[in-house]
């Protein structure tokens, strides 16, 4: 898997390859359907929220990796959105810490 | 004048254009209009901006889309080559991550505080599905996912040089984006005028902060989808004029990156605003 990624980042003009776009679409559709039905499972509220956030993260990761081609780009490009996400993590930590005890 | 060009620069063709400067002037005038509360100056800024954007689009429509590697060449020896425009777009998307995080973070903070304070602070937060139409928005989410598939298939068609499929997929993406916005407009109309979820009031004794946070989060996303639809309309028109080739189609890739990012934001917004 790592080898395939390395060879695909070789040049700016990549040859069109068979990429799993439709498979990813299928997963996104199924996960969306699952999200809509999570509350029907009767799971406690906190666990439901955790499941929903995990499912959303899976969907977003698939879109970024395959549709935004991050999996096929030079790896250092990923540092750019990760930099933004690092600041988001700081924001979430700060807001959560100050919001629990108003 | 015999300056040797660095390797890889021979094929670059530099296009000077006055339009970005005119756009910047328009935005500057509009900003001064906002700061000084001068409506005529604000309108003048918008007119200059619109003229600059129109001129730039018209100029760009005349030639094929091509990647520009000039600035990226500086780091080329250490890092694999990435077009300067793509690098710029990724940097822009990083700022967008922070922008949306600020909006969502502010809304989430208000929600946590009102939940903690409970009925003592003008009522609780709405439960999932209590006010919002979750199945309708689930359908809208599916439409946006479909548009991401058609977008990426359009790019794949461009990479293969398949003009027919490129046009079909871009047109499909444009129509799906417009459908998403139409459903969102329908939802807003139902909520605002039907349910009474306004910027100051909420039905069923729900906290009045629920309305503004809902409209702020989904509204800024909707404005991004609108920008994406406009960009999509532009590249679709250019595709129908034969403006993209197997070698030159970077605009399709860049608009696609933005479009998928808007989809990613919606994936989280759908969960946070509608399901939790």
């Amino acid at each position: 898997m790592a080898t395939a990624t390395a060879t695909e980042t070789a040049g700016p003009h990549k040859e069109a390859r068979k990429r799993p776009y439709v498979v990813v679409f299928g997963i996104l559709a199924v996960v969306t359907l699952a999200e809509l039905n999570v509350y029907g499972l009767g799971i406690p509220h906190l666990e439901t929220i955790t499941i929903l956030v995990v499912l959303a993260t899976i969907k977003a990761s698939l879109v970024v990796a395959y549709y935004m081609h991050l999996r096929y780009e030079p790896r250092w490009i990923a540092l750019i959105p990760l930099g933004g996400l690092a600041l988001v993590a700081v924001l979430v930590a700060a807001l959560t810490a100050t919001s629990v005890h108003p | 004048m015999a300056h040797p060009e660095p390797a890889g620069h021979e094929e670059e063709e530099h296009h000077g254009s006055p339009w970005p400067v005119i756009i910047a002037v328009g935005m500057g005038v509009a900003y001064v209009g906002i700061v000084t509360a001068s409506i005529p100056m604000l309108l003048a800024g918008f007119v200059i901006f619109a003229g600059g954007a129109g001129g730039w689009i018209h100029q760009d429509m005349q030639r094929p889309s091509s990647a520009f590697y000039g600035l990226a060449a500086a780091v080329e020896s250490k890092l694999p080559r990435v077009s300067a425009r793509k690098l710029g777009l990724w940097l822009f998307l990083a700022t967008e991550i922070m922008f949306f995080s600020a909006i969502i973070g502010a809304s989430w903070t208000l929600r946590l505080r009102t939940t903690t304070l409970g009925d003592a602070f003008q009522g609780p937060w709405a439960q999932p599905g209590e006010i919002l139409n979750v199945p309708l928005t689930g359908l809208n989410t599916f439409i946006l996912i479909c548009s991401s598939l058609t977008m990426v298939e359009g790019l794949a068609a461009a990479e293969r040089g398949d003009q027919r499929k490129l046009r079909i997929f871009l047109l499909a993406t444009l129509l799906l984006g417009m459908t998403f916005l139409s459903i969102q407009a329908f939802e807003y109309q139902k909520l605002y005028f039907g349910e009474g979820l306004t910027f100051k009031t909420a039905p069923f004794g729900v906290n009045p902060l629920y309305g503004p946070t809902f409209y702020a989060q989904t509204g800024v996303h909707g404005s991004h989808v609108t920008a994406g639809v406009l960009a999509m309309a532009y590249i679709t028109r250019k595709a129908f004029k034969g403006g993209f080739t197997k070698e030159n189609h970077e605009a399709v890739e860049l608009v696609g990156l933005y479009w998928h990012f808007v989809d990613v934001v919606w994936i989280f917004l759908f969960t946070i605003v509608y399901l939790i």
Side-chain angles (χ1 to χ4, degrees):
Chain A
M1 204 163 72
T3 320
T5 308
T7 53
E8 285 183 357
T9 58
H13 291 293
K14 302 173 290 294
E15 284 297 316
R17 291 177 177 78
K18 190 69 183 170
R19 290 172 177 165
Y21 297 143
V22 178
V23 174
V24 169
F25 169 76
I27 296 170
L28 292 174
V30 169
V31 173
T32 303
L33 204 59
E35 284 176 333
L36 290 169
N37 291 287
V38 163
Y39 279 101
L41 299 174
I43 304 169
H45 191 60
L46 193 62
E47 282 78 356
T48 304
I49 290 174
T50 308
I51 290 170
L52 286 170
V53 171
V54 168
L55 290 177
T57 308
I58 291 170
K59 283 167 68 180
S61 304
L62 285 171
V63 173
V64 173
Y66 290 95
Y67 288 177
M68 296 178 80
H69 288 171
L70 207 56
R71 192 173 176 276
Y72 309 113
E73 295 286 359
R75 286 186 180 162
W76 62 270
I77 285 283
L79 293 174
I80 299 172
L82 284 176
L85 286 175
L87 290 172
V88 171
V90 173
L91 178 73
V92 170
L95 290 180
T96 307
T98 55
S99 296
V100 172
H101 303 291
Chain B
M1 295 296 288
H3 296 295
E5 285 285 322
H9 271 219
E10 299 86 309
E11 78 280 7
E12 299 295 352
E13 193 183 342
H14 295 280
H15 301 275
S17 173
W19 299 113
V21 179
I22 294 169
I23 287 173
V25 169
M27 291 172 81
V29 171
Y31 183 70
V32 171
I34 292 171
V35 172
T36 59
S38 167
I39 300 294
M41 190 166 278
L42 179 65
L43 291 176
F46 273 127
V47 169
I48 297 169
F49 173 83
W56 201 4
I57 288 170
H58 178 72
Q59 184 187 41
D60 190 69
M61 197 71 82
Q62 310 304 316
R63 59 172 185 254
S65 165
S66 60
F68 170 56
Y69 294 94
L71 296 176
V75 290
E76 195 182 330
S77 58
K78 292 181 181 174
L79 299 169
R81 269 169 61 135
V82 168
S83 131
R85 289 174 186 142
K86 192 193 284 185
L87 185 60
L89 190 76
W90 271 108
L91 288 168
F92 169 66
L93 293 183
T95 69
E96 288 279 74
I97 290 172
M98 291 181 266
F99 171 75
F100 276 105
S101 302
I103 300 281
I104 296 170
S107 303
W108 190 249
T109 305
L110 288 171
R111 177 177 180 167
L112 284 179
R113 283 174 184 268
T114 50
T115 305
T116 312
L117 292 170
D119 294 340
F121 190 71
Q122 301 181 35
W125 214 251
Q127 294 299 308
E130 188 179 357
I131 298 176
L132 305 179
N133 189 337
V134 176
L136 178 70
T137 314
L139 173 68
N140 226 9
T141 305
F142 181 69
I143 287 169
L144 209 55
I145 291 169
C146 289
S147 78
S148 263
L149 176 67
T150 54
M151 181 68 239
V152 80
E153 290 288 2
L155 175 61
E159 287 173 345
R160 293 193 306 270
D162 188 338
Q163 293 288 331
R164 187 176 149 271
K165 283 194 174 170
L166 169 66
R167 290 166 187 165
I168 290 172
F169 281 125
L170 287 185
L171 189 61
T173 312
L174 177 63
L175 293 175
L176 287 165
M178 290 166 73
T179 307
F180 177 90
L181 286 176
S182 303
I183 291 177
Q184 193 172 39
F186 171 77
E187 181 196 23
Y188 275 17
Q189 186 265 332
K190 282 278 183 191
L191 286 172
Y192 199 94
F193 297 107
E195 300 284 347
L197 183 69
T198 69
F199 300 117
K200 291 181 178 175
T201 60
F204 314 126
V206 166
N207 196 292
L209 284 172
Y210 186 76
T213 55
F214 167 77
Y215 288 117
Q217 291 175 97
T218 56
V220 291
H221 178 267
S223 66
H224 278 72
V225 177
T226 306
V229 163
L230 291 174
M232 200 65 66
Y234 161 64
I235 62 166
T236 305
R237 177 167 159 71
K238 188 161 178 171
F240 274 87
K241 290 183 75 170
F244 301 115
T245 62
K246 186 177 180 180
E247 292 76 26
N248 295 323
H249 54 262
E250 194 181 32
V252 179
E253 185 176 6
L254 299 186
V255 171
L257 272 176
Y258 177 79
W259 190 258
H260 299 310
F261 173 78
V262 171
D263 185 15
V264 167
V265 171
W266 182 254
I267 285 170
F268 285 111
L269 269 186
F270 177 57
T271 300
I272 293 168
V273 176
Y274 288 84
L275 298 179
I276 291 179

